[in-house]
Amino acid sequence: MFDIKDLYQEVIVDHNRSPRNFGKLDDANKTLEGFNPLCGDRLTLYLKTDGNKIDDIAFDGSGCAISVASASLMTDAMKGKSLDEAEGLFNEFHDLITTENEVDTEQLGKLAALAGVRDYPARVKCASLCWHTLHAVIQGDDNPVSTE
Amino acid sequence: MNKQNTATKLTNEASFDVEKVRADFPILFEQVRGKPLVYLDNAATAQKPKQVIKTLDTYYREYNSNIHRGVHTLSEKATAVYEEARNKVKEFINADSIKEIIFTRGTTESINLVAQTFGRNNLSSNDEIIITELEHHSNIVPWQILSEQTGATLKYVPINDAGELILEEYEKLLNEKTRLVTIGHISNALGTINPIETIIEKAHAVGAKVLIDGAQAVPHTRVDVNELNCDFYAFSGHKLFGPTGIGVLYGKQALLEAMPPYQGGGDMIKTVSMKKTTYNDLPHKFEAGTPHIAGVIGLGSAIDYVSEIDLHEAAEYENQLLQYANEQAAQISGLVPVGTAKNKTSIFSFTLDGIHPHDIGTILDDEGIAIRAGHHCAMPVMERFKIPATARASFAFYNTREDVDALIQGIDKCKQVFS
């Protein structure tokens, strides 16, 4: 039987309590806001890129454990990645939380901890807010991202 | 149903037969995620008794047809039951005439109707509308739109830390420019019961009209529009154990007569030529198109149902549940109640240190417990308390102490998950 602890795994509780890469990045060259109007979660994503490479990434804002842990895990995973690799992970992660498809858990690493979200459709937007914001940054979108 | 003759006031919890009313609500015996449903989201929508469900079923099975125009038997029957429901609403809120009862899609549409007819006809750039920090978005946004259209100014009555309106501030805002005061009877986010009698009286003293958003009030308190002397009163069927998609606007007849139509179409006309249309009499002037016939009939049935219950006794029972929840919650460290008005209904809004309300909502759902988590369509209230959201349990008369126990255990579970 499904257990609530499958959703709130240790790694999620930990990243919610002590989010990594939390705070403003002073030398960011790309910044974008994401907002979930349904629940009020909001975050700002800061990126420092060098050509096609993500040198540094951070976020701040407020939200539920799923959204904070997701942003914390995502930023951890993105450091040093190329923008193409980031887009690849975006697709992989999207499949992880919205489909029953096989996903490359090796490539996802710790991000796979969010797999439990797929059993809670109402919470998919919490986990994906930071990712949609990252995707928009990479696409060069200047408008704040809304999950609605 | 009533056992008013039993014992003393102190034992009225026992005198309210909760098991009897529970038996009327089939959904309360459903399982959610393998656990018995504990439904504590009544301020969002109430569950429906089998009597209402049967009425809807019978309408669709036996006399579904359009109203006010058919010459056939089914249409005559549907029209009669539809108009009978209007009369039930009139009696329920003690209006003077069925002409004062307009069916709408819900409280939201009722408020928009007043904004776009009464508001656009009577307000201009020198005028002021008074609303409050406590309002649901449905009693804010229509007035912001009207304000953009007419130039009228919106003024907000502030609230104190308990979530009560600061009446001295209200009195300061009132002046000869005030055209309309529009205010919730009971706050959906916090449960505060506003002193609307005083508010109405003071508004009338400066010549302003008053609209009351009664969405949260009708399931918990007897509403008498005559005694209140409000100019408009809006409420929804679905919070009153009736169907969704149906609501009521009460308006004083003289005001409704003077207002232009809200929407044009069939049923709201007397004659139409290519040059000119003459509008139908009240209440039909405001009911363009085929209405939600089943909804109206279902609302009539819901009113029959609650009329069998002593709402005052039910409210006392609900308040005992709230008090019990407060006592239990006081034992939980890190739990902060939001909205502690002296005079409030059975809404228990709270935050938990370090745990976001949405996570509380999900963990409780896993225990079969339905609550609401979020800003409750009252973002200014959240802003006032400097919180993004609350978790809200809202009780109806079919809830029990066992439901409260389940909630408290669920909150403990939240703390375990995040420990």
Side-chain angles (χ1 to χ4, degrees), chain A residues 8 17 39 63-65 120 123, chain B residues 33 356 358-359 362 366 418:
Chain A
Y8 292 101
R17 192 182 296 125
C39 65
C64 62
Y120 289 84
R123 307 303 300 277
Chain B
R33 293 191 185 264
H356 193 281
H358 286 117
D359 298 312
T362 295
D366 202 58
F418 280 91

Side-chain angles (χ1 to χ4, degrees), chain B residues 268-279:
Chain B
M268 54 76 72
I269 52 92
K270 268 186 184 157
T271 59
V272 176
S273 73
M274 288 198 275
K275 279 196 182 129
K276 171 126 184 90
T277 291
T278 48
Y279 303 130

